Amino acid sequence: MNDLIILGGGPAGLTATAYALRKRLDVLLISRDLGGKTNYRLQLPFVEKHLVINGEEIVGRFTNEIEYLEFSRVFDKAEKIEKIKGGFAVSTRDGKTHQAKALIIATGALGRLLKVPGEQEYMNRGLCYSAISYAPLFIDRTAVVIGDTALALRSTAELARIARKVTLVAPTHGELDSPMGKKVLGSANVEVLEGFQVDAVQGDVYARTLVIVREDEKREIEADAFFVELDLLPQSEAVAHLVKLDTQGRIVVDSRNRTSADGIFAAGDVTDVIAEQVLIAIGEGAKAALTAYEYLLQLP
């Protein structure tokens, strides 16, 4: 039985694994890859790589540290987690079962897709799924945000402070009556197109145009970038029966990354902590590892 199993090889999971190894824990990382969201970068014709502070170099160091330690990682997906005597059993897709005294869940969250023509072609090439990461780069530029929830409204409001113009494509009225929605509606440089659905993404090397439709009306919107903000899908299904989740399916944690279940800790975008940033996930992963280490020290 391992001391600790960490699920997810993104920034939070990698950091937690590196810290656990330095504490000389018998740790096993189970993940489909190493790097998570840092393996995907938004490419824009006007953005140089050095302009974005994203923690890639830190994550890269942790990746290099873990990559050659084959005993500490398994490239697979955890499909079932059960509470057993003395800890937990994690069953992976390949049919194997791994046991540990404690768990750190760092499985992240996925962005909801538009599922329209052109999305796959222009994904991360002008079409992005996190405005909060790139809003500072849009000084005097144009942007489109797609969505009608709090996430989309927050992204629109943040972009509106910097960009020349922001267009919000809101499929429904959603949360436009909220304080954030009213602020967006009252912003001079924001145009709200309510009731429109995205029909296609078009462009050349980069996404350049968004085709939207509403009943018999069709429009084409040009912008410097398009941000899909349709809320995130936390990858928390495997532990949903063991820990408390919020209404959005995120794992509820305290300030020390403890969940509602003894021995299970969580970090990164799968939790209810405001994250969506690599640097925040790195810090949360470190905290989770240190808290799990303290928990293990107290076990008989």
Side-chain angles (χ1 to χ4, degrees), residues 2 24 30 36 38 42 54 62-63 75 107 109 115 130 136 145 168 171 174 177 179 185 238 257 276-277 290 293:
N2 294 96
R24 297 297 187 266
I30 300 177
T38 61
L42 176 64
N54 54 30
F62 289 147
T63 300
F75 286 128
T107 42
K115 298 179 181 178
S130 179
V145 176
L168 173 63
D177 289 332
L185 288 168
N257 299 86
E276 301 172 51
Q277 295 278 287
L290 294 175
Y293 176 65

Side-chain angles (χ1 to χ4, degrees), residues 64-82:
N64 292 337
E65 186 173 324
I66 294 163
E67 213 161 22
Y68 76 92
L69 299 175
E70 295 186 7
F71 66 87
S72 68
R73 58 172 170 79
V74 170
F75 286 128
D76 207 342
K77 181 182 179 182
E79 295 201 322
K80 185 179 180 182
I81 299 174
E82 294 179 297

Side-chain angles (χ1 to χ4, degrees), residues 187-199:
S187 299
N189 63 335
V190 174
E191 179 183 11
V192 178
L193 300 177
E194 187 179 334
F196 280 89
Q197 302 286 339
V198 177
D199 192 55

Side-chain angles (χ1 to χ4, degrees), residues 6-25:
I6 297 171
L7 304 181
L14 282 174
T15 308
T17 304
Y19 269 69
L21 286 168
R22 290 171 188 176
K23 291 295 184 181
R24 297 297 187 266
L25 292 177

Side-chain angles (χ1 to χ4, degrees), residues 146-274:
I146 303 147
D148 48 31
T149 63
L151 180 63
L153 295 174
R154 185 190 72 187
S155 299
T156 302
E158 184 168 350
L159 282 162
R161 294 173 60 88
I162 300 164
R164 183 171 73 253
K165 181 182 179 181
V166 183
T167 303
L168 173 63
V169 177
T172 72
H173 191 70
E175 298 186 40
L176 284 170
D177 289 332
S178 67
M180 186 77 77
K182 291 175 180 177
K183 180 174 183 177
V184 165
L185 288 168
S187 299
N189 63 335
V190 174
E191 179 183 11
V192 178
L193 300 177
E194 187 179 334
F196 280 89
Q197 302 286 339
V198 177
D199 192 55
V201 183
Q202 299 176 346
D204 40 48
V205 176
Y206 301 95
R208 304 288 188 180
T209 306
L210 195 71
V211 180
I212 59 174
V213 295
R214 182 177 63 184
E215 297 177 352
D216 295 330
E217 183 181 0
K218 178 179 281 192
R219 294 194 193 183
E220 293 187 1
I221 310 171
E222 294 184 356
D224 291 313
F226 306 90
F227 293 96
V228 182
E229 300 288 359
L230 299 176
D231 275 346
L232 299 173
L233 297 170
Q235 302 301 288
S236 58
E237 301 90 347
V239 289
H241 60 297
L242 295 173
V243 302
K244 181 181 178 181
L245 306 180
D246 68 7
T247 56
Q248 296 181 45
R250 300 174 300 187
I251 300 174
V252 177
V253 294
D254 65 11
S255 61
R256 300 182 66 187
N257 299 86
R258 294 175 294 201
T259 71
S260 59
D262 286 342
I264 302 181
F265 309 87
D269 290 352
V270 75
T271 72
D272 62 344
V273 173
I274 296 177

Side-chain angles (χ1 to χ4, degrees), residues 119-158:
E119 180 174 32
Q120 293 295 325
E121 182 180 353
Y122 295 110
M123 191 176 288
N124 292 315
R125 288 194 292 121
L127 186 66
C128 180
Y129 298 82
S130 179
I132 193 173
S133 300
Y134 299 98
L137 304 174
F138 279 76
I139 297 173
D140 201 33
R141 294 193 176 274
T142 60
V144 172
V145 176
I146 303 147
D148 48 31
T149 63
L151 180 63
L153 295 174
R154 185 190 72 187
S155 299
T156 302
E158 184 168 350

Side-chain angles (χ1 to χ4, degrees), residues 27 60 90 101 112 147 180 207-208 250 255 284 288:
V27 61
V90 179
K101 300 171 186 174
R112 294 180 188 269
M180 186 77 77
R208 304 288 188 180
R250 300 174 300 187
S255 61
E284 290 294 300

